[in-house]
Amino acid sequence: MIVRINSNTEEMASDLNAKAMKDVDAIMLPKVETADSVSYVHSRMPNNAVPIIAMIEGPMGLIFAENIASKLFVSGLCFGPEDYAAEMGISSESKAISLAAGLVAIAAAAHGKPSWGLVGSIANFSDHELFREAVIGAKELGMTGALAIHPAQLAVIRSVYAPTDEEVVQARRIVEEAQKSRGGAFKLDNRMIDEPVIRQARRVLLRGPSQP
């Protein structure tokens, strides 16, 4: 269970003191601008053990995204296109959204952490095709997942991020051959397979079914 708390200091304190907070798996902190924001929340948790997901929703947060992601207690980054667009005075469908989302994904990946977001509005839950385009755009930038505000969006997200059967079969072949090669480069289907390709295959298998 992930709980999104308020960013306002007074309301945040009330949220953190709620009895239900002792059972959460992570906290989602909106409108994070600097690492000080996540450090403040971390210091006020009872056991300082609950990971924090930092939401980057403005230009200041984008500038410090790498520093925010570097904190050990930050488990991942989210990108909020609606608030970012409002602060920048642009449309949430603007091409500039892709730039910001990509930088958030890079900042998270630099520290081996996941990132979630969209390239476009999260509010279009009734337009599945438009939402699908926003999810695909985020995936192509390196984001590891997307956020939803309606159950109907979950099937779209899963369909975009789940590998196809063909991708799973090919990834399994690559990993099996890599085990035989004992870490060296090898040829498969007239293609050179080396460490980066093997890592990508393993990532596909993590997202796909565990059995053939």
Side-chain angles (χ1 to χ4, degrees), residues 89-108:
I90 59 176
S91 165
S92 59
E93 308 299 332
S94 167
K95 291 181 179 180
I97 294 296
S98 294
L99 171 62
L103 291 174
V104 171
I106 291 170

Side-chain angles (χ1 to χ4, degrees), residues 71-91:
K71 298 301 180 183
L72 292 176
F73 46 81
V74 172
S75 60
L77 299 182
C78 284
F79 174 64
E82 302 283 5
D83 284 281
Y84 182 82
E87 287 207 33
M88 293 294 292
I90 59 176
S91 165

